[in-house]
Amino acid sequence: MRKTLLRISMTLVALTVWLTSGAVRTGAPAADTALASTGDNVPLASDIFLRLPVNVLDILPRSTRFDMLEYFKVDSIYKASNAMEGLSWLRTVTPDFLEVQITDVSTLQIKVLPGAKGKYLIMTLYTVGGDSQAPDTDIRFFDTELNELPRDKYFKLPQLKDFLDLKGALTSMKEIERMIPFPTVEYTASADSDRLNAKLTVGEFMNQDDYRIIKVLLRPEGLTYLWDGKKYKLSKP
């Protein structure tokens, strides 16, 4: 009963904030609601979260995403039920960055990137991983109308050797590729910058004798990519 009353109370608070902002909601939440645009037409990560197509974020209906954002606006973390019979919640929301915990083993990050001639690109990072699976990220790019763009135009996927410092190594690259036939990589964006970080995540999920050999060759900081307004470029260590 107390939980029900608390949720009703939070809903009323969110509704009050929303009404006083001057937004009008009829039917499904519109893309131009509060949190959805800025005065200089820069797209907001929260707006992108609302508008993401089903094939990108299929387990959270748009109305649920809207409620999650409204609760977040009043400093409340709303753990919403999703289509997998689990809970989803927002972790971070800034004008150009959003991170949502979709399930216990999956997250989605949205990053708004400044492009050429005043245009913007949207990058999404969908990561799956947990106690029994190494984190692995699917990275995609979209225009502001959420038409998917060719990834290779904006980001070149790293090769296994990029994560390794092979100077003086006694193990050949061919042997390493045999040890890691299916490398998994976790990508993370940031609310603080346009940098993209990449980390090889095979670690505890591979043969431990092999990992002891690989571990001394791994670049501990992973890889860092810098956005130049057109594409991501690997930052040299």
Side-chain angles (χ1 to χ4, degrees):
M1 180 68 178
R2 292 180 62 187
K3 289 183 178 179
T4 301
L5 289 174
L6 177 60
R7 182 167 179 182
I8 291 172
S9 175
M10 289 306 303
T11 300
L12 289 174
V13 171
L15 181 61
T16 300
V17 172
W18 169 57
L19 287 173
T20 56
S21 71
V24 178
R25 184 186 182 194
T26 57
D32 60 351
T33 56
L35 282 175
S37 62
T38 60
D40 51 3
N41 295 320
V42 179
L44 289 179
S46 53
D47 174 43
I48 304 303
F49 177 62
L50 279 176
R51 295 193 292 117
L52 278 176
V54 170
N55 65 332
V56 179
L57 193 57
D58 57 348
I59 71 170
L60 282 176
R62 194 174 176 205
S63 58
T64 300
R65 301 179 216 173
F66 180 85
D67 291 339
M68 293 167 71
L69 287 168
E70 290 300 306
Y71 274 81
F72 200 91
K73 283 172 61 179
V74 292
D75 298 322
S76 176
I77 303 300
Y78 172 39
K79 294 192 174 183
S81 298
N82 58 49
M84 299 292 289
E85 298 185 354
L87 296 176
S88 304
W89 63 94
L90 291 168
R91 301 179 69 91
T92 306
V93 181
T94 69
D96 67 354
F97 178 79
L98 181 146
E99 181 174 12
V100 55
Q101 188 78 37
I102 301 174
T103 69
D104 289 343
V105 296
S106 63
T107 62
L108 176 72
Q109 293 184 337
I110 298 170
K111 182 68 178 180
V112 179
L113 298 167
K117 299 179 181 179
K119 295 183 178 181
Y120 292 86
L121 290 175
I122 311 303
M123 177 175 67
T124 64
L125 304 171
Y126 177 66
T127 301
V128 177
D131 293 338
S132 60
Q133 179 181 352
D136 198 23
T137 302
D138 174 45
I139 178 170
R140 301 187 189 186
F141 292 88
F142 301 84
D143 63 20
T144 54
E145 298 301 317
L146 294 181
N147 299 304
E148 189 163 358
L149 303 170
R151 181 181 58 204
D152 291 347
K153 183 177 179 180
Y154 304 101
F155 178 69
K156 181 180 179 182
L157 291 174
Q159 299 181 31
L160 179 57
K161 65 180 181 181
D162 294 328
F163 292 94
L164 307 170
D165 184 354
L166 298 174
K167 292 179 181 178
L170 300 177
T171 307
S172 70
M173 194 63 220
K174 187 174 182 179
E175 290 177 292
I176 294 172
E177 289 173 343
R178 178 190 58 78
M179 296 175 190
I180 312 175
F182 304 108
T184 51
V185 178
E186 181 179 18
Y187 297 96
T188 54
S190 169
D192 302 322
S193 73
D194 294 334
R195 292 190 176 194
L196 178 64
N197 298 311
K199 179 182 178 183
L200 191 68
T201 57
V202 289
E204 62 187 278
F205 300 94
M206 65 182 290
N207 178 286
Q208 290 304 290
D209 289 333
D210 289 343
Y211 182 58
R212 277 190 284 271
I213 296 173
I214 299 298
K215 188 175 181 179
V216 297
L217 303 175
L218 282 174
R219 299 186 187 278
E221 69 281 1
L223 301 176
T224 298
Y225 292 84
L226 304 178
W227 178 252
D228 69 358
K230 295 181 179 179
K231 60 183 177 181
Y232 272 108
K233 292 184 177 180
L234 180 61
S235 176
K236 300 297 182 182

